[in-house]
Amino acid sequence: MNKLLTALLVSLALTGAAQAGDMIKMKGKLEGRANHEMLHSDCANCHVDKNKKAIDDSACIECHGKPSEIAIDESVLPVHEANPHKSVHFGDGASCLACHAEHKQKAPICTDCHRTWFKVM
């Protein structure tokens, strides 16, 4: 845990002007999120199989908690029901990967059916 915290602090110091969700260079042409930079040294931190393709919510939940435990300022939502972490469609919330991506910008899954006020993340 101490190594992870140290890596986080060093990463934050080195990223300078990068914001939490900004895309930054990892290696080669591969990019990743600035707020996950401390995880970029080992793909196995998130990718659960040897070919590094498969990923599931387990790594997200390990660090961030379940979607319903992640606070969203509901005062900025146009309607209370718009909280994606307390979705009426997905119970405890959709898969983290339905809205968030590490290596590319992604539109939230709600945009498939609804007009949305969420930006591409």
Side-chain angles (χ1 to χ4, degrees):
M1 186 63 154
N2 285 339
K3 285 183 181 180
L4 182 60
L5 290 175
T6 301
L8 175 61
L9 291 174
V10 169
S11 297
L12 289 173
L14 295 176
T15 56
Q19 298 295 312
D22 286 351
M23 302 299 285
I24 60 171
K25 277 272 197 233
M26 286 178 59
K27 56 183 168 185
K29 293 183 179 180
L30 188 63
E31 293 183 323
R33 302 283 174 182
N35 56 323
H36 291 151
E37 186 173 13
M38 71 286 203
L39 301 172
H40 294 169
S41 62
D42 184 2
C43 300
N45 284 319
C46 298
H47 293 272
V48 296
D49 68 348
K50 292 183 190 223
N51 71 13
K52 298 190 172 114
K53 296 265 186 208
I55 185 167
D56 61 27
D57 288 346
S58 61
C60 306
I61 291 169
E62 186 176 322
C63 290
H64 298 282
K66 292 181 180 180
S68 62
E69 298 169 346
I70 299 171
I72 289 182
D73 181 1
E74 292 183 358
S75 71
V76 300
L77 300 175
V79 292
H80 173 74
E81 293 81 9
N83 185 336
H85 291 173
K86 295 179 183 170
S87 169
V88 296
H89 300 301
F90 301 106
D92 195 29
S95 165
C96 304
L97 305 170
C99 298
H100 303 280
E102 179 62 22
H103 302 295
K104 63 183 180 181
Q105 297 291 316
K106 186 172 188 176
I109 194 172
C110 52
T111 62
D112 290 353
C113 300
H114 299 279
R115 285 182 297 158
T116 184
W117 41 89
F118 296 112
K119 62 183 180 181
V120 173
M121 298 181 266

